[in-house]
Amino acid sequence: MSATKLVVDAMGGDDAPSVVLEGSAAAVEHNPDLEVILTGPADVIEPFAAEHDRITAHPTTEVIAMDEHPAEAVRNKKDSSIVVGCRLVKEGEGDGFFSAGSTGACLAAATIVMGRLKGVKRPGLVSVIPSPQAQTVICDLGANADCKPDYLVQFATMGSVYAQVVLGVENPRIGLLSIGEEDTKGSEFVLECNKLMHEQVPGFIGNAEGRDIALGGFDVIVTDGFTGNVALKTYEGLGSALLSGLRTALTANTRSKIGASLCMSGINDLRAQLDPDAHGGAQLLGVQGVCMVGHGNSNAKAIENGLLISANAVEQKMTERLADLLDEGE
Amino acid sequence: MSATKLVVDAMGGDDAPSVVLEGSAAAVEHNPDLEVILTGPADVIEPFAAEHDRITAHPTTEVIAMDEHPAEAVRNKKDSSIVVGCRLVKEGEGDGFFSAGSTGACLAAATIVMGRLKGVKRPGLVSVIPSPQAQTVICDLGANADCKPDYLVQFATMGSVYAQVVLGVENPRIGLLSIGEEDTKGSEFVLECNKLMHEQVPGFIGNAEGRDIALGGFDVIVTDGFTGNVALKTYEGLGSALLSGLRTALTANTRSKIGASLCMSGINDLRAQLDPDAHGGAQLLGVQGVCMVGHGNSNAKAIENGLLISANAVEQKMTERLADLLDEGE
């Protein structure tokens, strides 16, 4: 097997470049078939690459900041670590791209520079939402605030392939996010989607509700990017508020601190079950190559996870499988 | 002050009528100015009313089940506990109506039988979403799956009055649920809403994101009923999965059980901070009278809370305040 080559944006994330470099070194250490090509300022990445096997440097002169307008930044900063990263994948230098930088800029660069797969109406942002009771893939998590019903049919295919590759689920159970399990419940848009999904999506088992994300019952939940992003952030917000509330509750007084020390391992397990970094971020599916966007606040472990998951997607030929499935509809 | 009279659907909820009767007795015990009029089968409510001061019986012969089509059921079952309950409010026999039965049927009955307040485009379903870090009012939670931008302007008024009455916030900070805090982020629909809210809603401080529901920053978050319902159920699902995961973590072995016993009071506090029953359910605002719908799985305490909160809404003249504010736009 030839090596898997990932292009990594050294400048992406709140704690870049240090955590990106550290995470990249850990990932190539962990996966002996992985090679990393770093994009970023020469003085940052060249000395680091010189010291590490299977890490090379491709210097760039520009950086896209988190608050820049994504499409404009991609147009104007042709030598940025994100745009060059996507171009290297397009040109076959790399098999996939990873960045913990601006999600919007990564989506724009991947769509414009790598290009869509043939037949894809809109690329979709996909990830696994972890809970103590379930692992649910959601698509779209925010790439498309406005959708047409046939986009969601393609999101179902994307989510399904993602669940096969990342979760190892053979025949994913696919749901449509709505406000009642009956086919007649939902907005006009969702009613149309429901009808199309019944007709065109093998594996579609009906409407899902918000609570099913954490409680399980579906391997893949399909939705427009607006609703998916609201659900994701609602989820993350409550997870964060509860873990922080738990910390307060457990350190309220000496008695509870002693108690907490005795049950800390279970609580750490619970925290790990909710950890968004375990899945390294979200992948943009429907473009010509693997493209993963990590959380802005990623630490080195999250970067490492993101690279290993991206490498797995390359090795399992996720893009090729999607290309075959999504081209059929055209 | 004259007594506050609430009409209560004795047959609403998974554990009706027992928990409804128990909760009603507790509520009149707690609030000496409260009178309860029960609707339901004579053999259930008459003996109970005979034994309790300030509880009277208004027998009805029909019951609307949870799975019936709301509008049809309201049309066909004119002598149901829900339809009669709303009629008693319309006719001035009661000041407000409470049911833990079918949300859809209660919304339909309240809208059709009580009628909308003058100038109201669509009644909105409102509640407080509790978290360890914030108390956030959301409107609409699901009464209107499809909305026009001007509905959301009215939801802002409803949520604002609700936050004043229920949370005691003098000048509520109002947000619009979107997928980025900048005014330029969101779906086409939300962009239109954002513009209108800036022009017409005093107290509007900008877009909120899903995570703000649990983490705070807004007293009121306005959204269409589809998104609001998805966010609410996503929230409830994760809350439930985490509390259940916490129970598992704390009882994993003898060591953690001992630890858990020492910090149980803090954990119970945390559970209480998340308890949806603390707010008794959701209120439908924009109709001619107070109308509250409890959770289907309400226990007696939740029913009691719902009645006390409904009584507070009557005593604070929530409907009259809304009538004044919402009529202005016409």
Side-chain angles (χ1 to χ4, degrees):
Chain A
M1 196 177 79
S2 67
T4 299
K5 291 183 188 168
L6 291 181
V7 186
V8 178
D9 170 15
M11 302 311 285
D14 304 341
D15 298 316
S18 64
V19 298
V20 180
L21 300 180
E22 195 186 328
S24 298
V28 296
E29 180 85 14
H30 192 280
N31 180 343
D33 294 320
L34 176 61
E35 294 182 18
V36 164
I37 303 166
L38 294 168
T39 55
D43 61 337
V44 169
I45 62 174
E46 286 183 337
F48 187 82
E51 282 174 10
H52 291 81
D53 284 344
R54 287 181 282 125
I55 297 186
T56 54
H58 188 104
T60 51
T61 57
E62 292 174 303
V63 173
I64 297 178
M66 293 299 275
D67 57 355
E68 289 187 66
H69 186 280
E72 271 178 31
V74 167
R75 250 193 318 272
N76 296 332
K77 294 189 167 173
K78 297 255 187 282
D79 200 41
S80 59
S81 51
I82 289 176
V83 173
V84 171
C86 289
R87 208 184 64 222
L88 291 175
V89 175
K90 175 69 178 175
E91 292 169 350
E93 296 291 308
D95 302 303
F97 174 66
F98 178 92
S99 173
S102 158
T103 302
C106 290
L107 302 192
T111 306
I112 297 168
V113 179
M114 290 187 193
R116 296 181 200 173
L117 290 174
K118 185 155 175 278
V120 166
K121 296 173 204 298
R122 291 290 184 283
L125 199 58
V126 185
S127 191
V128 178
I129 312 298
S131 107
Q133 292 181 27
Q135 305 251 70
T136 309
V137 170
I138 303 192
C139 182
D140 172 22
L141 285 170
N144 308 281
D146 289 289
C147 288
K148 294 182 179 165
D150 54 356
Y151 302 177
L152 271 72
V153 169
Q154 291 198 333
F155 295 162
T157 304
M158 294 175 193
S160 186
V161 170
Y162 193 79
Q164 288 167 5
V165 167
V166 172
L167 300 181
V169 180
E170 207 168 325
N171 294 303
R173 297 160 299 170
I174 301 172
L176 169 66
L177 191 55
S178 188
I179 59 175
E181 58 187 28
E182 304 88 342
D183 288 334
T184 53
K185 290 281 177 71
S187 60
E188 292 298 325
F189 171 75
V190 165
L191 297 186
E192 272 189 72
C193 292
N194 177 287
K195 195 162 165 288
L196 268 191
M197 306 261 303
H198 271 299
E199 288 164 8
Q200 301 183 13
V201 177
F204 179 57
I205 60 170
N207 287 351
E209 294 189 272
R211 61 171 61 93
D212 299 316
I213 299 171
L215 297 175
F218 297 85
D219 301 302
V220 176
I221 294 180
V222 169
T223 183
D224 66 275
F226 183 85
T227 309
N229 192 271
V230 166
L232 172 69
K233 287 180 182 162
T234 298
Y235 199 96
E236 290 178 344
L238 179 59
S240 163
L242 274 184
L243 290 177
S244 146
L246 187 57
R247 198 176 310 121
T248 307
L250 295 178
T251 54
N253 54 47
T254 308
R255 182 182 160 93
S256 66
K257 276 183 199 163
I258 295 169
S261 69
L262 295 172
C263 46
M264 197 41 81
S265 86
I267 288 168
N268 284 338
D269 288 350
L270 185 67
R271 194 185 300 273
Q273 284 165 346
L274 259 194
D275 184 7
D277 288 342
H279 294 281
Q283 293 196 33
L284 186 71
L285 302 190
V287 291
Q288 297 192 40
V290 167
C291 173
M292 188 166 205
V293 189
H295 288 89
N297 63 359
S298 289
N299 57 23
K301 187 73 196 169
I303 302 283
E304 178 190 354
N305 287 338
L307 298 189
L308 295 175
I309 291 168
S310 297
N312 178 47
V314 171
E315 288 154 13
Q316 293 208 41
K317 302 195 176 304
M318 186 164 66
T319 305
E320 292 81 353
R321 285 155 76 168
L322 269 172
D324 287 346
L325 290 167
L326 292 172
D327 192 22
E328 292 168 2
E330 283 300 273
Chain B
M1 194 177 78
S2 67
T4 299
K5 291 184 190 170
L6 292 181
V7 186
V8 177
D9 171 15
M11 302 310 286
D14 305 341
D15 298 316
S18 63
V19 299
V20 180
L21 300 180
E22 195 186 327
S24 298
V28 295
E29 180 85 12
H30 192 280
N31 180 343
D33 294 320
L34 177 61
E35 294 183 19
V36 164
I37 303 166
L38 295 167
T39 55
D43 62 338
V44 169
I45 62 174
E46 286 184 338
F48 188 81
E51 282 175 10
H52 291 81
D53 284 343
R54 286 182 283 123
I55 297 186
T56 54
H58 188 103
T60 51
T61 56
E62 292 174 303
V63 172
I64 297 178
M66 293 300 273
D67 57 355
E68 289 187 65
H69 186 281
E72 271 177 32
V74 167
R75 249 193 318 271
N76 296 331
K77 294 189 167 173
K78 298 254 187 281
D79 200 42
S80 59
S81 52
I82 289 176
V83 172
V84 171
C86 289
R87 208 185 63 221
L88 291 175
V89 175
K90 175 71 179 172
E91 293 169 351
E93 296 291 309
D95 302 304
F97 174 67
F98 178 93
S99 173
S102 157
T103 303
C106 290
L107 302 192
T111 307
I112 297 168
V113 179
M114 290 187 194
R116 296 181 199 172
L117 290 174
K118 183 153 178 280
V120 167
K121 295 174 205 297
R122 291 290 184 282
L125 199 58
V126 185
S127 191
V128 177
I129 312 298
S131 108
Q133 291 181 27
Q135 306 251 70
T136 309
V137 170
I138 303 191
C139 183
D140 174 23
L141 286 170
N144 308 280
D146 289 290
C147 288
K148 294 183 179 165
D150 53 355
Y151 301 177
L152 272 73
V153 169
Q154 291 198 333
F155 296 162
T157 304
M158 295 175 193
S160 186
V161 169
Y162 193 78
Q164 288 166 3
V165 167
V166 172
L167 300 181
V169 180
E170 207 168 325
N171 294 302
R173 297 160 300 171
I174 301 171
L176 170 66
L177 191 55
S178 188
I179 59 174
E181 58 188 29
E182 304 88 340
D183 288 333
T184 53
K185 290 283 177 70
S187 60
E188 293 298 325
F189 171 76
V190 165
L191 296 187
E192 271 189 71
C193 293
N194 177 287
K195 195 163 164 290
L196 269 191
M197 306 260 304
H198 271 298
E199 289 164 8
Q200 300 182 12
V201 177
F204 179 57
I205 60 170
N207 287 351
E209 294 189 89
R211 61 171 62 93
D212 299 317
I213 299 171
L215 297 175
F218 297 85
D219 301 302
V220 176
I221 294 181
V222 170
T223 183
D224 67 275
F226 182 86
T227 309
N229 192 271
V230 166
L232 172 69
K233 287 179 182 163
T234 298
Y235 199 97
E236 290 178 344
L238 179 58
S240 162
L242 274 183
L243 290 176
S244 145
L246 187 57
R247 198 177 310 122
T248 308
L250 295 178
T251 53
N253 54 48
T254 309
R255 183 182 160 92
S256 66
K257 277 184 200 162
I258 295 169
S261 69
L262 294 172
C263 46
M264 197 42 81
S265 85
I267 288 169
N268 284 339
D269 288 349
L270 184 66
R271 194 185 300 272
Q273 285 165 345
L274 259 194
D275 183 8
D277 288 341
H279 294 281
Q283 293 197 34
L284 187 71
L285 301 190
V287 291
Q288 297 192 39
V290 167
C291 173
M292 188 165 205
V293 189
H295 288 88
N297 63 359
S298 289
N299 58 23
K301 186 74 196 168
I303 301 283
E304 179 190 353
N305 288 337
L307 298 190
L308 295 175
I309 291 167
S310 297
N312 178 48
V314 171
E315 287 154 14
Q316 292 208 43
K317 302 196 178 303
M318 187 164 65
T319 306
E320 292 80 354
R321 284 155 76 167
L322 269 172
D324 286 345
L325 289 167
L326 293 172
D327 192 24
E328 291 169 3
E330 284 300 273

